Amino acid sequence: MKKSFGFGIVGCGAISKAHIESIKLIPEARLVGVVDKFVEKAKAVGEGEGCDYYSDYNDLLKRPDLDIVCVCTPSGLHAEPTIASAKAGKHVIVEKPLEITLEKIDSMIKACEENNVKLATIFPNRFKKATNYLWKKVQDGRFGKLIMGDAYIKWYRTPEYYSTASWRGTWTMDGGGALMNQSIHTIDLLQWMMGKVSSVVAYTDALLHDIETEDTAVAIVRFENGALGVIEGATSLYPGFPNRLEIHGSKGAAILENEKFTTWNFIDSDEQEENEIKRLSEAANKSTSFSDPMAFNFDPHRRQIEDMIAAIKEDRAPFIDGYEGRKAVEIIASIYRSSKEGRPVDL
Ligand SMILES: NC(=O)c1ccc[n+]([C@@H]2O[C@H](COP(=O)([O-])OP(=O)(O)OC[C@H]3O[C@@H](n4cnc5c(N)ncnc54)[C@H](O)[C@@H]3O)[C@@H](O)[C@H]2O)c1
């Protein structure tokens, strides 16, 4: 049995810190190299972390001591390093969104399957205790018949957020705006809880920022199980608000704001369950990522990296594999199509 796993990072920007700090906390993980197309960025991180650095990921991929690659490049540049890593026999953890088109995602899944390596998509919210608890309750049928599921992601980003990284808010590199970059986390949770989305009808627009993609979006969704719901996603709403996930069923309702339950109300109340909800809400991390892109806790990233190590050891799929990562992108792509074509779109 392998005792330690060599990690490499491709893309030394803002989110790479979450991966590096997580790797440092995992006893069986070690960082062997980092890559950035701007070698001075890679050098600063490599020297700081005491590992090798490169400007071309193909050089990193030659290393026999490299097992797992974390892809932290701009969203529209996830496929190339992922496919190259798969061909080099390395497992891959890819930041969200897995990629910005379903065609590219399918080619990544195929390359990983053909080369017998594992592919994981980062969706840290699924690794948070409150969301996990809610998911299990939905699976157990606690809500009865699911009637409505909503995701409200009324966030704010400054104009500098877009102007300091030229790929953000572009179709070719960000693949969209508020939905594809920010709201995707909660859209993934919504579909994870409520099940497959079967159709959407939507409006999207850039109402505040000078970007080519949307900063404001509203969609009505129908789920395959017949339930209805709403997705509201934005980076245009000052000062930014905690994201809210609402699950309504025939037996009761839950409202989760970030990691805190603000409503847990069922026809047949259960004291033990209510105590657990209170405990989870009190322990919740007070994230302000609705207004600050880097204000989040790295712990769920660590859990997700640990899940990849466990998946390799147990020879199973990672908890959020390529097929799971694909689902939220399919919903968002359908919302964009609905808004562009002015009609409902079936998935
Ligand atoms: N999970 C989360 O909560 C979270 C948060 C922020 C960003 N992200 C995702 O992480 C990804 C990166 O976002 P960011 O904010 O860190 O971006 P960033 O612009 O800060 O960093 C991207 C880095 O990739 C480098 N790069 C570009 N092309 C490259 C190439 N071919 N080879 C090597 N390096 C290359 C850039 O020079 C830059 O340093 C995006 O997909 C984003 O959606 C996820």
Side-chain angles (χ1 to χ4, degrees), residues 9-16 18-19 35-38 41 54-57 71-78 80-81 95-97 122-124 161 164-168 173-174 180-182 184-185 293-294 296 301:
I9 307 280
V10 180
C12 294
I15 200 62
S16 65
H19 292 255
V35 186
D36 201 283
K37 71 171 184 175
F38 296 111
K41 280 180 105 169
Y54 309 88
S55 61
D56 182 342
Y57 55 75
V71 174
C72 301
T73 45
S75 305
L77 286 173
H78 288 175
E80 283 175 33
E95 264 302 338
K96 49 55 55 176
I122 292 276
F123 272 133
Y161 168 80
T164 52
S166 59
W167 64 274
R168 293 185 184 138
M173 284 296 133
D174 215 349
M180 191 63 97
N181 193 316
Q182 284 81 16
I184 190 166
H185 290 286
M294 289 318 292
F296 66 86
H301 267 81

